[in-house]
Short mmCIF file of all heavy atoms in Angstrom, two decimals:
data_model
loop_
_atom_site.label_atom_id
_atom_site.label_comp_id
_atom_site.label_asym_id
_atom_site.label_seq_id
_atom_site.Cartn_x
_atom_site.Cartn_y
_atom_site.Cartn_z
N TYR A 779 -78.37 61.46 18.61
CA TYR A 779 -78.14 60.25 19.39
C TYR A 779 -76.97 59.42 18.84
O TYR A 779 -76.61 58.40 19.43
CB TYR A 779 -79.40 59.37 19.39
CG TYR A 779 -79.81 58.92 18.01
CD1 TYR A 779 -79.36 57.72 17.49
CD2 TYR A 779 -80.62 59.73 17.20
CE1 TYR A 779 -79.70 57.32 16.21
CE2 TYR A 779 -80.95 59.33 15.93
CZ TYR A 779 -80.51 58.13 15.44
OH TYR A 779 -80.84 57.73 14.17
N LYS A 780 -76.38 59.85 17.76
CA LYS A 780 -75.36 59.04 17.08
C LYS A 780 -74.14 58.77 17.97
O LYS A 780 -73.55 57.70 17.91
CB LYS A 780 -74.94 59.68 15.77
CG LYS A 780 -76.03 59.63 14.72
CD LYS A 780 -75.59 60.24 13.41
CE LYS A 780 -76.73 60.16 12.41
NZ LYS A 780 -76.35 60.71 11.12
N ALA A 781 -73.74 59.72 18.77
CA ALA A 781 -72.57 59.52 19.65
C ALA A 781 -72.83 58.39 20.64
O ALA A 781 -71.96 57.53 20.87
CB ALA A 781 -72.23 60.80 20.39
N GLU A 782 -74.03 58.37 21.22
CA GLU A 782 -74.38 57.32 22.17
C GLU A 782 -74.42 55.95 21.49
O GLU A 782 -73.96 54.95 22.05
CB GLU A 782 -75.73 57.62 22.85
CG GLU A 782 -75.68 58.73 23.87
CD GLU A 782 -75.80 60.13 23.26
OE1 GLU A 782 -75.93 60.25 22.02
OE2 GLU A 782 -75.75 61.10 24.03
N VAL A 783 -74.96 55.91 20.29
CA VAL A 783 -75.04 54.64 19.56
C VAL A 783 -73.64 54.15 19.18
O VAL A 783 -73.36 52.94 19.25
CB VAL A 783 -75.94 54.79 18.30
CG1 VAL A 783 -75.88 53.54 17.44
CG2 VAL A 783 -77.37 55.08 18.72
N THR A 784 -72.76 55.07 18.83
CA THR A 784 -71.38 54.70 18.52
C THR A 784 -70.70 54.10 19.74
O THR A 784 -70.02 53.06 19.64
CB THR A 784 -70.59 55.92 18.01
OG1 THR A 784 -71.24 56.45 16.86
CG2 THR A 784 -69.17 55.55 17.66
N VAL A 785 -70.88 54.71 20.89
CA VAL A 785 -70.30 54.19 22.14
C VAL A 785 -70.88 52.80 22.43
O VAL A 785 -70.14 51.87 22.79
CB VAL A 785 -70.55 55.15 23.31
CG1 VAL A 785 -70.17 54.51 24.64
CG2 VAL A 785 -69.80 56.45 23.12
N LEU A 786 -72.17 52.65 22.26
CA LEU A 786 -72.83 51.36 22.49
C LEU A 786 -72.27 50.28 21.56
O LEU A 786 -71.96 49.17 22.00
CB LEU A 786 -74.34 51.49 22.30
CG LEU A 786 -75.16 50.22 22.51
CD1 LEU A 786 -75.01 49.70 23.93
CD2 LEU A 786 -76.61 50.46 22.17
N ASN A 787 -72.11 50.62 20.30
CA ASN A 787 -71.56 49.65 19.35
C ASN A 787 -70.12 49.27 19.70
O ASN A 787 -69.74 48.10 19.58
CB ASN A 787 -71.62 50.19 17.92
CG ASN A 787 -73.03 50.19 17.37
OD1 ASN A 787 -73.87 49.41 17.80
ND2 ASN A 787 -73.30 51.07 16.42
N ASP A 788 -69.33 50.24 20.15
CA ASP A 788 -67.95 49.95 20.57
C ASP A 788 -67.93 49.01 21.77
O ASP A 788 -67.13 48.07 21.82
CB ASP A 788 -67.20 51.24 20.90
CG ASP A 788 -66.89 52.08 19.66
OD1 ASP A 788 -66.96 51.54 18.53
OD2 ASP A 788 -66.59 53.27 19.84
N LEU A 789 -68.81 49.27 22.72
CA LEU A 789 -68.90 48.41 23.89
C LEU A 789 -69.30 46.99 23.51
O LEU A 789 -68.75 46.01 24.03
CB LEU A 789 -69.91 48.97 24.90
CG LEU A 789 -69.47 50.21 25.67
CD1 LEU A 789 -70.64 50.78 26.46
CD2 LEU A 789 -68.31 49.90 26.59
N LYS A 790 -70.24 46.87 22.58
CA LYS A 790 -70.68 45.55 22.14
C LYS A 790 -69.56 44.82 21.39
O LYS A 790 -69.41 43.60 21.53
CB LYS A 790 -71.93 45.65 21.28
CG LYS A 790 -73.17 45.98 22.09
CD LYS A 790 -74.42 45.97 21.24
CE LYS A 790 -75.65 46.19 22.10
NZ LYS A 790 -76.88 46.08 21.31
N ARG A 791 -68.77 45.55 20.62
CA ARG A 791 -67.62 44.94 19.94
C ARG A 791 -66.60 44.44 20.95
O ARG A 791 -66.06 43.33 20.83
CB ARG A 791 -66.97 45.95 18.99
CG ARG A 791 -67.16 45.57 17.53
CD ARG A 791 -66.45 46.52 16.59
NE ARG A 791 -67.47 47.33 15.93
CZ ARG A 791 -67.68 48.63 16.13
NH1 ARG A 791 -66.93 49.32 16.93
NH2 ARG A 791 -68.64 49.27 15.51
N LYS A 792 -66.33 45.26 21.97
CA LYS A 792 -65.39 44.85 23.02
C LYS A 792 -65.90 43.61 23.74
O LYS A 792 -65.13 42.69 24.04
CB LYS A 792 -65.19 45.98 24.03
CG LYS A 792 -64.34 47.11 23.54
CD LYS A 792 -64.20 48.18 24.61
CE LYS A 792 -63.50 49.40 24.09
NZ LYS A 792 -63.42 50.49 25.08
N ARG A 793 -67.20 43.58 24.01
CA ARG A 793 -67.79 42.42 24.69
C ARG A 793 -67.63 41.17 23.84
O ARG A 793 -67.28 40.10 24.35
CB ARG A 793 -69.27 42.66 25.00
CG ARG A 793 -69.93 41.49 25.71
CD ARG A 793 -71.36 41.75 26.06
NE ARG A 793 -72.16 41.91 24.86
CZ ARG A 793 -73.45 42.21 24.86
NH1 ARG A 793 -74.09 42.39 26.00
NH2 ARG A 793 -74.11 42.33 23.74
N LYS A 794 -67.84 41.30 22.54
CA LYS A 794 -67.67 40.16 21.64
C LYS A 794 -66.23 39.66 21.66
O LYS A 794 -65.97 38.46 21.73
CB LYS A 794 -68.07 40.55 20.21
CG LYS A 794 -67.93 39.43 19.21
CD LYS A 794 -68.27 39.90 17.81
CE LYS A 794 -67.96 38.79 16.82
NZ LYS A 794 -67.90 39.26 15.46
N ASP A 795 -65.27 40.60 21.63
CA ASP A 795 -63.85 40.23 21.68
C ASP A 795 -63.51 39.52 22.98
O ASP A 795 -62.79 38.51 22.98
CB ASP A 795 -62.96 41.45 21.51
CG ASP A 795 -63.04 42.06 20.11
OD1 ASP A 795 -63.51 41.36 19.18
OD2 ASP A 795 -62.63 43.23 19.95
N VAL A 796 -64.03 40.03 24.08
CA VAL A 796 -63.75 39.42 25.38
C VAL A 796 -64.37 38.01 25.45
O VAL A 796 -63.75 37.08 25.97
CB VAL A 796 -64.26 40.30 26.54
CG1 VAL A 796 -64.20 39.57 27.87
CG2 VAL A 796 -63.44 41.58 26.61
N LYS A 797 -65.57 37.86 24.90
CA LYS A 797 -66.19 36.53 24.88
C LYS A 797 -65.36 35.54 24.07
O LYS A 797 -65.20 34.39 24.46
CB LYS A 797 -67.61 36.60 24.29
CG LYS A 797 -68.64 37.13 25.25
CD LYS A 797 -70.02 37.10 24.61
CE LYS A 797 -71.10 37.55 25.55
NZ LYS A 797 -72.44 37.50 24.91
N GLU A 798 -64.82 36.01 22.94
CA GLU A 798 -63.97 35.14 22.12
C GLU A 798 -62.70 34.77 22.87
O GLU A 798 -62.26 33.62 22.83
CB GLU A 798 -63.64 35.83 20.80
CG GLU A 798 -64.81 35.92 19.85
CD GLU A 798 -64.52 36.73 18.60
OE1 GLU A 798 -63.41 37.31 18.48
OE2 GLU A 798 -65.41 36.80 17.74
N GLN A 799 -62.10 35.73 23.55
CA GLN A 799 -60.89 35.46 24.33
C GLN A 799 -61.19 34.47 25.46
O GLN A 799 -60.41 33.55 25.72
CB GLN A 799 -60.32 36.75 24.92
CG GLN A 799 -59.74 37.68 23.90
CD GLN A 799 -59.33 39.01 24.51
OE1 GLN A 799 -59.46 39.25 25.71
NE2 GLN A 799 -58.84 39.91 23.67
N LEU A 800 -62.33 34.65 26.10
CA LEU A 800 -62.75 33.77 27.18
C LEU A 800 -62.92 32.34 26.66
O LEU A 800 -62.46 31.39 27.30
CB LEU A 800 -64.04 34.30 27.80
CG LEU A 800 -64.48 33.80 29.14
CD1 LEU A 800 -63.42 34.07 30.20
CD2 LEU A 800 -65.79 34.45 29.55
N LEU A 801 -63.56 32.21 25.54
CA LEU A 801 -63.76 30.90 24.93
C LEU A 801 -62.41 30.25 24.56
O LEU A 801 -62.20 29.07 24.81
CB LEU A 801 -64.64 31.01 23.67
CG LEU A 801 -64.96 29.72 22.95
CD1 LEU A 801 -65.75 28.78 23.85
CD2 LEU A 801 -65.75 30.01 21.69
N LEU A 802 -61.51 31.05 24.04
CA LEU A 802 -60.18 30.54 23.67
C LEU A 802 -59.43 30.04 24.91
O LEU A 802 -58.83 28.96 24.89
CB LEU A 802 -59.38 31.63 22.96
CG LEU A 802 -57.96 31.26 22.55
CD1 LEU A 802 -57.99 30.16 21.50
CD2 LEU A 802 -57.24 32.48 22.01
N VAL A 803 -59.48 30.81 25.98
CA VAL A 803 -58.78 30.41 27.21
C VAL A 803 -59.42 29.16 27.80
O VAL A 803 -58.71 28.25 28.24
CB VAL A 803 -58.75 31.57 28.24
CG1 VAL A 803 -58.21 31.11 29.58
CG2 VAL A 803 -57.93 32.73 27.70
N LYS A 804 -60.75 29.08 27.81
CA LYS A 804 -61.42 27.89 28.32
C LYS A 804 -61.07 26.66 27.49
O LYS A 804 -60.82 25.59 28.05
CB LYS A 804 -62.93 28.09 28.34
CG LYS A 804 -63.41 28.98 29.45
CD LYS A 804 -64.90 29.13 29.44
CE LYS A 804 -65.39 30.03 30.57
NZ LYS A 804 -66.85 30.19 30.58
N THR A 805 -61.02 26.83 26.19
CA THR A 805 -60.65 25.72 25.31
C THR A 805 -59.21 25.28 25.56
O THR A 805 -58.92 24.09 25.62
CB THR A 805 -60.82 26.13 23.83
OG1 THR A 805 -62.17 26.57 23.63
CG2 THR A 805 -60.52 24.97 22.89
#
């Protein structure tokens, strides 16, 4: 299952980055 978990972690990292960018633009 490690490949799926790695993909999931990458997606969550991307989501975190996008949330930070969104917050920066809103600010």
Side-chain angles (χ1 to χ4, degrees):
Y779 61 92
K780 290 182 180 181
E782 286 83 1
V783 172
T784 302
V785 170
L786 179 62
N787 287 335
D788 290 343
L789 288 171
K790 287 185 175 184
R791 248 184 252 110
K792 285 180 188 177
R793 180 178 65 183
K794 180 183 173 196
D795 292 342
V796 170
K797 282 183 177 181
E798 288 174 356
Q799 291 173 1
L800 197 58
L801 181 62
L802 178 65
V803 172
K804 285 181 180 180
T805 304

